[in-house]
Amino acid sequence: MAIRPILMHPDPRLKKRCDPVENIDGDIRTLISDMFETMYDAPGIGLAAPQVGSLVRVIVMDCAKSENDDPEPIAMVNPQVVWESDDLNIHEEGCLSIPEEYNDVERPAQVRVAYTDTDGAAQEIACDGLLATCVQHEIDHLNGKLFIDYLGPMKRQMITGRMKKRKKERAAAKSDAPRPNRA
Ligand code: NI
């Protein structure tokens, strides 16, 4: 298992439509376990494969209510919303690829999602509350859509401007860091 670097917005790979997974082989299983490790380390409640640079339709989530609750890891391959409620819910969202930015987003309050599990079996689950918000946010990532795409253009541009600045600062901090001696 390994923690993979998380791509930061703006990045063209976060705007791509991801490819379906044809079969769940060793590479996909490694990707899933690395994604869990990366998500828990961040920490976050959801992560989509394109956020670690893999343009395939894989997401992982853990929406356990609190740190004291047992973990509830769910990995989904080729997830698809097959039903959504008419009633909507507003939830404040954030994203590991857009750190320090949080905004209210309105989405269907309940959804049913069909997916393939890590054993290759077809599954379908009903989601509401935080899990409904999270699964829709992650599936959006697989279609190149970010939560800031639900905001007005002014707000989106402001956030993107701040993110560009943060990326520059991070890159500068990295190049200042002491390098291990190379022999
Ligand atoms: Ni996200």
Side-chain angles (χ1 to χ4, degrees):
M1 298 237 291
I3 293 168
R4 301 195 187 190
I6 298 175
L7 300 183
M8 292 295 144
H9 169 72
D11 187 300
R13 288 167 288 180
L14 294 172
K15 303 301 292 175
K16 292 257 163 45
R17 192 180 165 82
C18 297
D19 294 325
V21 173
E22 305 272 323
N23 75 82
I24 298 167
D25 56 14
D27 285 349
I28 292 293
R29 281 180 222 279
T30 303
L31 172 67
I32 289 170
S33 63
D34 286 357
M35 283 171 63
F36 273 121
E37 194 173 352
T38 305
M39 178 187 79
Y40 286 124
D41 174 71
I45 60 167
L47 188 70
Q51 292 181 275
V52 292
S54 293
L55 301 183
V56 291
R57 303 187 80 81
V58 173
I59 63 175
V60 299
M61 295 172 293
D62 190 332
C63 294
K65 294 242 159 32
S66 77
E67 281 178 23
N68 301 325
D69 289 340
D70 289 335
E72 294 170 16
I74 311 176
M76 296 183 176
V77 175
N78 301 333
Q80 206 179 349
V81 174
V82 291
W83 174 85
E84 57 185 42
S85 63
D86 289 331
D87 54 312
L88 304 173
N89 189 22
I90 295 176
H91 203 277
E92 188 180 63
E93 295 189 25
C95 182
L96 292 175
S97 294
I98 318 174
E100 297 172 56
E101 302 289 347
Y102 299 91
N103 271 96
D104 284 347
V105 176
E106 192 176 48
R107 300 179 185 273
Q110 291 101 29
V111 289
R112 288 190 69 83
V113 176
Y115 65 97
T116 303
D117 69 19
T118 46
D119 297 320
Q123 303 285 351
E124 195 173 308
I125 60 165
C127 308
D128 68 357
L130 182 59
L131 183 59
T133 294
C134 186
V135 75
Q136 291 175 80
H137 175 119
E138 302 310 332
I139 291 173
D140 274 351
H141 271 299
L142 306 181
N143 297 321
K145 191 168 184 177
L146 302 172
F147 83 89
I148 56 171
D149 294 326
Y150 291 90
L151 311 176
M154 295 279 284
K155 225 174 196 175
R156 187 164 57 244
Q157 277 163 29
M158 242 167 52
I159 291 170
T160 301
R162 285 198 291 264
M163 279 302 303
K164 281 182 180 163
K165 203 166 150 238
R166 276 184 208 128
K167 281 180 81 170
K168 247 184 220 163
E169 285 165 0
R170 279 184 190 212
K174 237 183 224 164
S175 64
D176 286 347
R179 297 204 176 101
N181 290 327
R182 283 161 204 251

